[in-house]
Amino acid sequence: MKLRDAHLRRMRDGTFDTLVIGGGINGAVTAASLAGRGASVALIDRGDFANFTSQASSNLVWGGFKYLENLEFYLVWTLCRSRNRLMRAYPDNIKEIAFYAALDKAARYKPWFAGLGAFGYWVIGQFGTKRPPLLNRAKIEREEPAIDTSNVRGGIEYHDGLLVDNDARFVFSFVRSAIEAGAAAANYVELVSATREAGRWVARLRDVDSGDEFTTTASTIVNAAGPFVDELNREWGLSSEHRIVYSKGIHLVVPRLTTTDHHKVLAFFDDTQRLFYVIPMGRRSVIGTTDTRVDSPFTETTEDDIEFLLEQINARMDLDQPLSRGDVIADRCGVRPLVVKVGAGDQSEVDWTKLSRKHAIEVDPAQRVVTIFGGKLTDCLNVGEEVAEQIEGLGIPLEEDLHNWFGEPAAATRAEFVRQARLMRLDGFRTKADTEPLTDRLWRRYGRRAFAMLDAIREDPAMAEDVMGSADYLRVELHTAAQSEMVTKLEDFTRRRSKIDLVVPRADIESSPGLREVAEILFGTDADRRLAEYFGGDDLVPAAVRPPSADIEA
Ligand SMILES: Cc1cc2nc3c(=O)[nH]c(=O)nc-3n(C[C@H](O)[C@H](O)[C@H](O)COP(=O)(O)OP(=O)(O)OC[C@H]3O[C@@H](n4cnc5c(N)ncnc54)[C@H](O)[C@@H]3O)c2cc1C
């Protein structure tokens, strides 16, 4: 909590060039790009960073093959360019992955036509990925026997990018970058009100964790509240050319469905002829997503949603046992904030899935507010750059963009890390053969911070032990998270900095004594309060996680 306290102190009565509201991907890249170019920036989110839409994505960095169906060639070209740029900047965090689409007899497109589409996608994608190979039924059967090929006429393969960890952790990497460039950033800080006084914004902020209220002032505001941007603009009396509508999407996390070692995304057309995917997540598979019009940004996965996806997947895969409700380890649910023009009429009439996924950035020069409508994780670098241009236009001087506010450290730094890790035989500490080498994992997750982790392990080899049985987190990772990842609540770590809540069954979490140590490292003397908060009450904390003395009393 020390990191957060320090940042709250800087915000209290602080004076900034820009206050960024919303710590999803759009707010995080904005803060990183502005701070990286010398602006003084404050970034707040009323929940944890990436607690809303940006933790519910498919984790794909992609050009949107399916948008070709809507003939959105320019959008696909732009997204592919953003994808290629991100894949180059994050070679360890974003990996190229093959999408393997089996087309059955009911599919909307014949394999030759879909194959043409895959080739076109590769060309529009500026040849940024491997060339799509031809795929036939025999090859599908050979390479992925888990696909039910009884009705399959053929297939296609094309390539895009996958975030190896998760979307929320990727968002946090931009928050870290903003912090390292001098921004003040705090999670669980809500904007209560903002008024214009003597040419500046005076913002009343509330620390949601403690209830304290304080004031900060800024010359400009960036409204990056995702699904809530219209609400904020209305409160400030701003009118805009665009507004947001919501499309709900869910994912189910289940035990790994693919039977081969091939690391691929499987793509299928569902009964409504919409593409959905089976996406790898370590030793799990993620099935999704759906696309349903909703009127509120607050949604949850319903039993009908789950039944629909399970039915779709069971009809298309040749599994030893059909998937059932009991196989669902976790679900993810969110709304895509989609942009429409104000006055474009009643959107309930349009085909929801055909609404464009473009973002729009609007500036109100009189009120000095920049609003980001919509967007995708994939397009984040463009958003960061476009917002910076608008802020500069409002008279905030920015340094030249050297593009050093994003990306992984240089290849030479990585090579030095790998050398040091090899010399100390880091990978020998791995206890589970089916997990990735520790060298890769620590570098990808922590970048330069991983050097200090090697020091800590050299000093105390117990730092390289897994803390929670099936969760794949070393003790040293917890210490790093406690110091530098602004973990305020236990769920911030289990759901967003890590993906424990997504990949470890709830029963395993509840019976893991290691969770207590996780809380103690992260929160020290506050561990019991945070555990009770995580489980929903003191009396709901499972026996395995309670302090030993509490067991004796019980
Ligand atoms: C199901 C699904 C699948 C997707 N898959 C992909 C994909 O594979 N690839 C891809 O590129 N994109 C994908 N997307 C799109 C992408 O996830 C979103 O476009 C993106 O996350 C939106 O980010 P954001 O920052 O605009 O919004 P958010 O992440 O929602 O962030 C807005 C933040 O503002 C905060 N906030 C709101 N009001 C206040 C206030 N008053 N004070 C303080 N904070 C406030 C909220 O707490 C929230 O954290 C997907 C989206 C969904 C729903």
Side-chain angles (χ1 to χ4, degrees):
M1 291 292 275
K2 282 196 194 122
L3 179 65
R4 182 170 181 269
D5 290 343
H7 281 251
L8 285 176
R9 273 198 298 277
R10 286 181 53 205
M11 277 186 200
R12 200 176 284 271
D13 303 320
T15 306
F16 296 93
D17 291 329
T18 305
L19 170 63
V20 182
I21 296 156
I25 187 65
N26 284 341
V29 286
T30 295
S33 107
L34 293 178
R37 295 181 59 192
S40 63
V41 176
L43 167 69
I44 58 163
D45 197 294
R46 65 181 167 197
D48 186 22
F49 303 115
N51 78 92
F52 213 75
T53 322
S54 299
Q55 67 170 0
S57 83
S58 304
N59 286 316
L60 298 171
V61 174
W62 57 349
F65 180 61
K66 61 185 175 186
Y67 307 145
L68 289 180
E69 277 191 305
N70 307 342
L71 308 179
E72 290 206 73
F73 299 116
Y74 182 68
L75 174 67
V76 174
W77 185 80
T78 320
L79 285 176
C80 282
R81 204 178 46 168
S82 308
R83 173 202 67 191
N84 297 349
R85 230 180 131 193
L86 272 182
M87 289 201 313
R88 277 196 303 272
Y90 294 89
D92 284 293
N93 280 276
I94 302 173
K95 293 284 184 197
E96 180 171 334
I97 190 161
F99 281 60
Y100 220 68
L103 301 165
D104 61 20
K105 290 185 179 132
R108 192 185 292 179
Y109 305 105
K110 296 231 161 64
W112 70 265
F113 187 73
L116 213 60
F119 187 78
Y121 184 61
W122 179 62
V123 174
I124 295 175
Q126 300 120 69
F127 317 105
T129 59
K130 285 193 198 114
R131 188 191 167 118
L134 292 173
L135 206 60
N136 56 33
R137 188 171 150 173
K139 195 169 173 210
I140 296 174
E141 257 166 17
R142 202 171 51 246
E143 293 198 355
E144 190 43 85
I147 296 175
D148 180 356
T149 48
S150 50
N151 254 332
V152 164
R153 282 192 301 198
I156 55 164
E157 183 178 326
Y158 61 93
H159 293 245
D160 265 317
L162 174 71
L163 284 164
V164 181
D165 283 309
N166 63 27
D167 41 14
R169 186 160 184 92
F170 185 61
V171 170
F172 188 75
S173 73
F174 287 101
V175 177
R176 270 294 322 164
S177 164
I179 288 175
E180 283 163 16
N187 49 11
Y188 298 98
V189 173
E190 182 171 29
L191 178 82
V192 179
S193 65
T195 49
R196 300 273 300 154
E197 288 175 27
R200 289 185 69 78
W201 281 101
V202 177
R204 191 93 197 124
L205 306 183
R206 190 167 73 92
D207 175 348
V208 176
D209 198 44
S210 68
D212 284 354
E213 285 200 10
F214 55 92
T215 301
T216 209
T217 73
S219 169
T220 57
I221 283 188
V222 174
N223 179 356
F228 305 96
V229 287
D230 292 330
E231 205 176 283
L232 284 183
N233 280 348
R234 255 196 313 274
E235 274 173 34
W236 303 330
L238 303 186
S239 55
S240 58
E241 283 176 29
H242 298 91
R243 68 183 177 92
I244 291 294
V245 292
Y246 314 115
S247 150
K248 172 183 159 184
I250 74 143
H251 293 92
L252 303 178
V253 186
V254 297
R256 191 171 168 160
L257 297 182
T258 46
T259 48
T260 67
D261 286 338
H262 284 119
H263 192 61
K264 286 188 164 71
V265 174
L266 307 185
F268 301 101
F269 282 99
D270 68 17
D271 289 348
T272 67
Q273 290 305 311
R274 191 179 170 277
L275 271 171
F276 76 107
Y277 306 97
V278 175
I279 305 164
M281 183 183 266
R283 281 167 284 171
R284 309 294 181 207
S285 292
V286 183
I287 310 170
T289 176
T290 54
D291 203 335
T292 324
R293 190 231 149 110
V294 286
D295 293 326
S296 160
F298 298 101
T299 53
E300 52 185 40
T301 307
T302 64
E303 287 303 317
D304 283 351
D305 294 328
I306 297 177
E307 205 178 300
F308 174 77
L309 276 184
L310 293 181
E311 237 177 67
Q312 300 302 313
I313 207 68
N314 284 330
R316 288 159 182 83
M317 290 193 75
D318 197 4
L319 303 170
D320 292 341
Q321 290 282 327
L323 272 186
S324 69
R325 182 68 179 85
D327 295 312
V328 178
I329 298 166
D331 66 88
R332 293 156 68 91
C333 179
V335 289
R336 301 170 187 85
L338 303 179
V339 195
V340 293
K341 282 257 185 197
V342 169
D346 180 6
Q347 295 298 324
S348 58
E349 295 302 314
V350 303
D351 178 351
W352 208 243
T353 59
K354 290 207 164 73
L355 276 184
S356 177
R357 267 56 174 166
K358 280 181 211 146
H359 68 262
I361 293 177
E362 279 191 46
V363 58
D364 185 320
Q367 300 297 317
R368 299 173 68 74
V369 173
V370 177
T371 304
I372 309 163
F373 295 89
K376 298 192 75 66
L377 286 155
T378 307
D379 219 9
C380 63
L381 300 183
N382 288 341
V383 169
E385 286 167 357
E386 288 167 32
V387 174
E389 199 182 315
Q390 299 298 346
I391 290 290
E392 215 172 7
L394 292 175
I396 306 289
L398 296 181
E399 293 162 9
E400 187 192 346
D401 190 353
L402 299 175
H403 296 164
N404 51 0
W405 51 271
F406 62 88
E408 292 170 8
T413 316
R414 185 190 195 282
E416 176 55 22
F417 176 79
V418 172
R419 193 183 74 87
Q420 290 191 21
R422 196 181 58 240
L423 290 176
M424 66 184 279
R425 297 191 169 76
L426 178 69
D427 293 335
F429 287 94
R430 182 173 61 160
T431 50
K432 291 174 223 139
D434 60 342
T435 53
E436 68 178 321
L438 291 178
T439 306
D440 296 352
R441 180 168 120 193
L442 294 190
W443 177 256
R444 186 185 66 247
R445 287 182 184 166
Y446 306 96
R448 272 188 213 91
R449 286 180 293 154
F451 282 100
M453 298 166 95
L454 296 186
D455 282 341
I457 296 169
R458 281 187 204 105
E459 216 167 277
D460 178 5
M463 283 289 176
E465 287 169 5
D466 267 333
V467 178
M468 270 179 75
S470 46
D472 302 334
Y473 271 82
L474 305 184
R475 190 164 282 116
V476 71
E477 298 187 75
L478 267 305
H479 285 278
T480 303
Q483 279 162 17
S484 60
E485 299 200 345
M486 210 176 280
V487 177
T488 304
K489 302 188 180 209
L490 186 52
E491 198 207 67
D492 303 343
F493 178 73
T494 55
R495 172 68 178 82
R496 285 172 290 275
R497 304 301 177 275
S498 78
K499 45 184 192 283
I500 292 173
D501 281 351
L502 294 174
V503 297
V504 181
R506 188 70 183 176
D508 288 6
I509 294 179
E510 291 181 359
S511 62
S512 168
L515 187 61
R516 173 150 205 97
E517 188 183 344
V518 169
E520 282 171 353
I521 296 173
L522 292 173
F523 307 114
T525 52
D526 216 13
D528 282 311
R529 181 166 78 93
R530 294 303 184 187
L531 279 165
E533 186 179 67
Y534 179 72
F535 285 105
D538 271 328
D539 45 345
L540 296 174
V541 177
V545 185
R546 282 192 224 131
S549 56
D551 280 349
I552 294 162
E553 279 161 30

